[in-house]
Amino acid sequence: MDGSASPMPTPRALPYYVAFSQLLGLTVVAVTGAWLGLYRGGIAWENVLQFNVHPLCMVIGMIFLQGDALLVYRVFRKEAKRTTKVLHGLLHVFAFVIALVGLVAVFDYHKKKGYADLYSLHSWCGLLVFVLYFVQWLVGFSFFLFPGASFSLRSRYRPQHIFFGATIFLLSVGTALLGLKEALLFKLGSKYSTFEPEGVLANVLGLLLVSFAVVVVYILAQADWKRPLQAEEQALSMDFKTLTEGDSPSSQ
C-alpha cells in the first residue's frame, strides 16, 4: 500500500445532510424556547418557571448536543484522530452538564411544590437514559481517551460503543416525546383534542424532534460516509487483524 495516496474525498451529499441536521437541531431548540415562552411563561430559577428549565436543558443537552457529538466523526474527516476524539468527548460532557442542570431543576421544583418524583413513564425512561448516557461516557473515556487501553481492546469494544451511542440518542428523543405529551395532557386535558394553539405548536415540535433523530441516524448509517482511516490508523488496524485473524496486510 502506498502511504502517499491522496485522502478520500468528502462524499458529495454529506455536507448537505449535515447542514440539514443542524438546521433541524437549531429549529428544535428555537421552537422549544418559543413554546416555553409563549405558553409556559418563560424560564427562570424561581416559582413555576423553574420547571421550564428542565425541557429546554434536556432538548439542548440530550438531543441537540448529543446528536452533534455523534456526527463529529462524519464532519471532521481529515483532522487528527485524537483531536476528533477530544471534541467528541467534550460535546458529550457539555450535553451531560446541561442535562444535569435540567434534572436538578425539575427535582428541586418538585421538592418545593411537594410533588411526587419518579412515578411516570417519562421520569422512569428519563432517569434510565441519563444513567446509561453517563455510563456510556465513562466507558468510552476509559477505552478511547484514557491512555492505558490497548488497541485490540478498543477495536473489540468500538462496535458496542457505536451501537449504544445511537440507541441512547434515540431513547433520549423518545423520552422527550413522552415528556412533551405528558406536559400537554397535564395543562390542556380534554382541550388538547380541540386543536389548541399550544397543542399544535407542541405537535410540530414533536415532529421536528423525530426529523432531527431520523437525519442524524441516517447520516450515521451510511457506510461510505464514515471517517476514513488515517495512515497510522490503517497500519494499526492491519497489525491487529494480522494478530487476531492471521491475515497479512497485503490481503486487504
Side-chain angles (χ1 to χ4, degrees):
M1 179 181 292
D2 184 4
S4 63
S6 59
M8 293 177 61
T10 300
R12 183 175 300 178
L14 177 58
Y16 297 101
Y17 276 92
V18 171
F20 185 46
S21 73
Q22 296 311 287
L23 177 62
L24 282 173
L26 291 172
T27 303
V28 164
V29 174
V31 173
T32 302
W35 168 52
L36 296 173
L38 291 173
Y39 297 104
R40 300 290 168 135
I43 298 170
W45 201 271
E46 59 185 12
N47 302 324
V48 296
L49 300 183
Q50 183 177 353
F51 177 84
N52 296 341
V53 175
H54 174 70
L56 184 62
C57 284
M58 291 306 181
V59 165
I60 294 174
M62 295 298 291
I63 295 175
F64 181 55
L65 288 181
Q66 184 182 178
D68 276 4
L70 297 180
L71 294 179
V72 160
Y73 288 102
R74 300 298 187 271
V75 176
F76 299 96
R77 303 172 57 81
K78 300 176 183 178
E79 286 70 20
K81 183 68 174 289
R82 183 157 188 86
T83 301
T84 311
K85 281 184 187 179
V86 170
L87 179 58
H88 176 74
L90 283 177
L91 280 174
H92 279 307
V93 169
F94 293 148
F96 177 81
V97 171
I98 292 172
L100 182 61
V101 172
L103 275 183
V104 171
V106 72
F107 278 110
D108 189 51
Y109 172 76
H110 283 179
K111 181 179 179 181
K112 291 175 180 177
K113 293 294 183 179
Y115 296 157
D117 290 317
L118 300 175
Y119 66 89
S120 66
L121 179 60
H122 167 69
S123 62
W124 285 24
C125 290
L127 189 61
L128 174 64
V129 169
F130 187 77
V131 171
L132 289 175
Y133 188 70
F134 180 59
V135 171
Q136 167 84 346
W137 188 90
L138 282 180
V139 176
F141 177 83
S142 301
F143 275 82
F144 300 114
L145 284 174
F146 192 73
S150 67
F151 179 79
S152 61
L153 199 59
R154 293 175 183 176
S155 297
R156 290 191 179 97
Y157 175 66
R158 185 174 290 110
Q160 285 74 33
H161 183 73
I162 294 171
F163 170 78
F164 283 112
T167 299
I168 292 170
F169 172 66
L170 292 177
L171 288 175
S172 299
V173 174
T175 301
L177 295 176
L178 284 174
L180 187 61
K181 181 68 177 293
E182 185 178 285
L184 291 174
L185 291 178
F186 275 154
K187 182 180 178 183
L188 299 180
S190 60
K191 291 182 180 179
Y192 186 27
S193 62
T194 63
F195 293 92
E196 284 282 315
E198 180 180 359
V200 173
L201 180 61
N203 286 349
V204 170
L205 174 57
L207 291 177
L208 288 169
L209 286 166
V210 171
S211 299
F212 178 65
V214 168
V215 173
V216 169
V217 172
Y218 179 81
I219 294 172
L220 296 176
Q222 304 309 302
D224 55 339
W225 289 1
K226 290 182 179 180
R227 183 180 187 273
L229 291 176
Q230 303 297 325
E232 68 276 11
E233 296 173 71
Q234 282 188 323
L236 286 172
S237 179
M238 288 179 178
D239 289 343
F240 175 66
K241 193 172 182 64
T242 300
L243 290 172
T244 57
E245 299 182 15
D247 291 339
S248 65
S250 60
S251 66
Q252 302 304 309

